[in-house]
Amino acid sequence: MSNEREVADMKQIHLNGAETQLERLSKLGDPLEKINKVINWEIFREIIENAIRKDMSKGGRPPFDAILMFKITMLQQWYGLADMAAEYHINDSLSYMRFLGLEIGDKVPDGNTIWDFKEALKEKEVDRKLFDLFNGMLEEEGIITHKGSIIDATFVTVPKRHTTKTDNEHLKSGEELEDLPAKSAERQANGEIKNAENVEAQMDMDARWTKKGDESFFGYKDHVKCDSDSKIITDFSVTDASVHDSQELVGLIDEKDNDLKLDSGYVGEDLQKEILANFPHIKINICARAYRNTPLTDEDKAKNKVIAHTRARIEHIFGYMTRFMAGITSRVHGLARVKRDITAKNLAYNIKRYVCIAG
């Protein structure tokens, strides 16, 4: 009996210590506590539960709460946490546990459960619905004004694929690989690997190489449109890195847009004609580009300066993601899963931005 009383006393002391620590975190300004005060997470519940609902008539372990799981995916995007790392850090951090509504001793979803949850969202195409739902709320509140829009793209880096130049050309052309299967079969015959197919499965065959200036990039692109007043991402598309920014431009424009600010990479009369044919009310502002023997005039420079001043706001978005959201990267393979992660990254940014605006 005395041992049981000692255990109970120690547990109470531990809980009291946790409360004291949480009070200190609140005084220091726990950003996650502020997010919970501003965001109504329940608006996401119905969409998520419809996507992950399980038939419990056959038994099995009850699923974790849908909002708890969704908030974990946001933590992953804010802090750059892989699935297994998320499990560890949630167990380790009082701030994370409070954000998720957990107490010391509560069961935490493991890495595989987190992965399965995100896969379910991807398969039911729920990620984009959550993004659009949140933006609909921001429009109703007048945060998104649509007075002006800025469009730009940023690279999404992924682990590099070690394939030969020949195989890279095959991938670009949509042809079957040549060098990798032969080399993998040879390694399997020599007993270096057990299964040749596993080698290819561990490489991202959808990612592509591209160059910007003198620098080469491997991965994907996040083509983003933002509201120039609020710096909220209003639309986006995800492609491999080889797709030129201008190819995604028209698809990002809609009838709500009134004024576009674009850099010189979007120059092209045909492109402008296509936009105006669909949306004649839109005012298009594109930075002028200098050509050989045709330098920019003073008027061009003045106009570019005005456009660039507004366009800098979209660079603030990419800069924030890079500096304060663990970078614009993805650990997964394949376009479908990268789209899932980038959709979550863009939504996670919008949530942070809304909390900043709301004060």
Side-chain angles (χ1 to χ4, degrees):
M1 181 68 72
S2 59
N3 287 339
E4 292 180 1
R5 187 180 296 112
E6 288 177 4
V7 170
D9 290 343
M10 287 298 295
K11 184 176 182 180
Q12 186 62 42
I13 291 171
H14 190 60
L15 290 173
N16 289 339
E19 288 299 321
T20 301
Q21 200 70 17
L22 284 170
E23 288 178 8
R24 290 173 182 165
L25 289 171
S26 295
K27 290 179 180 179
L28 291 170
D30 181 358
L32 295 178
E33 187 177 28
K34 182 178 180 180
I35 291 172
N36 266 347
K37 289 178 180 178
V38 174
I39 300 299
N40 175 19
W41 296 102
E42 288 300 315
I43 67 172
F44 301 106
R45 181 176 294 281
E46 184 177 358
I47 293 177
I48 298 173
E49 287 187 342
N50 288 340
I52 65 172
R53 184 174 288 119
K54 294 174 64 176
D55 183 5
M56 299 304 297
S57 62
K58 299 179 182 179
R61 187 176 63 188
F64 285 95
D65 178 71
I67 298 301
L68 180 146
M69 295 302 300
F70 176 60
K71 289 167 78 172
I72 289 175
T73 67
M74 293 296 98
L75 284 175
Q76 289 184 285
Q77 295 304 328
W78 292 328
Y79 298 105
L81 302 174
D83 298 333
M84 298 301 176
E87 176 189 355
Y88 174 85
H89 283 285
I90 292 167
N91 278 290
D92 184 59
S93 170
L94 288 174
S95 177
Y96 285 12
M97 293 190 77
R98 176 167 64 182
F99 173 71
L100 297 172
L102 296 172
E103 296 182 356
I104 292 176
D106 286 346
K107 187 171 180 59
V108 172
D110 61 28
N112 291 330
T113 301
I114 296 170
W115 169 267
D116 290 342
F117 173 78
K118 293 191 295 186
E119 283 292 283
L121 296 188
K122 174 179 69 68
E123 290 169 7
K124 298 295 180 63
E125 299 181 347
V126 170
D127 307 78
R128 183 59 192 237
K129 293 178 182 178
L130 298 174
F131 177 90
D132 291 338
L133 173 69
F134 188 68
N135 273 16
M137 184 201 77
L138 299 186
E139 286 183 334
E140 291 177 2
E141 292 190 11
I143 302 294
I144 297 175
T145 66
H146 294 294
K147 291 179 182 177
S149 298
I150 311 168
I151 295 177
D152 206 348
T154 186
F155 290 110
V156 181
T157 57
V158 298
K160 293 180 180 178
R161 181 183 64 234
H162 298 286
T163 46
T164 63
K165 187 175 182 179
T166 300
D167 274 351
N168 285 336
E169 291 300 322
H170 286 321
L171 285 170
K172 284 182 182 179
S173 305
E175 301 170 350
E176 292 187 5
L177 299 179
E178 179 182 342
D179 294 339
L180 180 61
K183 186 175 181 180
S184 298
E186 182 182 347
R187 291 180 63 196
Q188 185 176 359
N190 293 335
E192 297 176 33
I193 56 175
K194 293 182 179 180
N195 192 326
E197 293 181 356
N198 289 344
V199 175
E200 188 171 324
Q202 293 170 5
M203 293 187 183
D204 191 332
M205 297 303 173
D206 293 337
R208 295 289 182 269
W209 285 96
T210 193
K211 290 194 74 172
K212 185 174 183 180
D214 295 328
E215 192 171 357
S216 295
F217 293 90
F218 178 74
Y220 298 85
K221 276 185 181 179
D222 184 12
H223 304 263
V224 168
K225 179 175 73 175
C226 81
D227 181 63
S228 58
D229 278 353
S230 61
K231 290 196 287 190
I232 292 288
I233 298 172
T234 54
D235 200 2
F236 66 93
S237 64
V238 181
T239 68
D240 69 69
S242 68
V243 175
H244 193 273
D245 299 358
S246 61
Q247 291 179 246
E248 295 297 299
L249 174 62
V250 176
L252 291 174
I253 300 171
D254 58 45
E255 66 281 351
K256 295 179 181 179
D257 293 312
N258 294 293
D259 182 285
L260 287 177
K261 296 289 193 301
L262 306 171
D263 70 16
S264 58
Y266 297 96
V267 169
E269 289 186 12
D270 292 340
L271 203 57
Q272 293 186 54
K273 287 179 180 178
E274 185 177 357
I275 295 171
L276 293 175
N278 295 324
F279 310 103
H281 67 282
I282 292 180
K283 183 179 180 182
I284 304 174
N285 302 278
I286 304 179
C287 288
R289 177 187 290 178
Y291 295 94
R292 182 178 294 179
N293 300 322
T294 310
L296 294 176
T297 65
D298 290 341
E299 184 180 351
D300 288 334
K301 292 177 182 179
K303 180 183 175 183
N304 285 0
K305 187 175 182 179
V306 172
I307 296 173
H309 178 74
T310 301
R311 280 187 50 77
R313 297 178 70 79
I314 200 167
E315 296 297 338
H316 297 168
I317 295 174
F318 302 147
Y320 186 89
M321 288 181 175
T322 300
R323 294 183 62 194
F324 302 110
M325 292 178 61
I328 308 172
T329 63
S330 181
R331 295 183 178 89
V332 297
H333 292 169
L335 181 59
R337 288 194 176 113
V338 171
K339 280 184 178 179
R340 177 199 70 192
D341 279 7
I342 295 304
T343 301
K345 175 74 74 175
N346 290 340
L347 174 55
Y349 164 80
N350 277 358
I351 288 174
K352 280 268 192 167
R353 179 61 185 160
Y354 174 66
V355 170
C356 179
I357 293 170

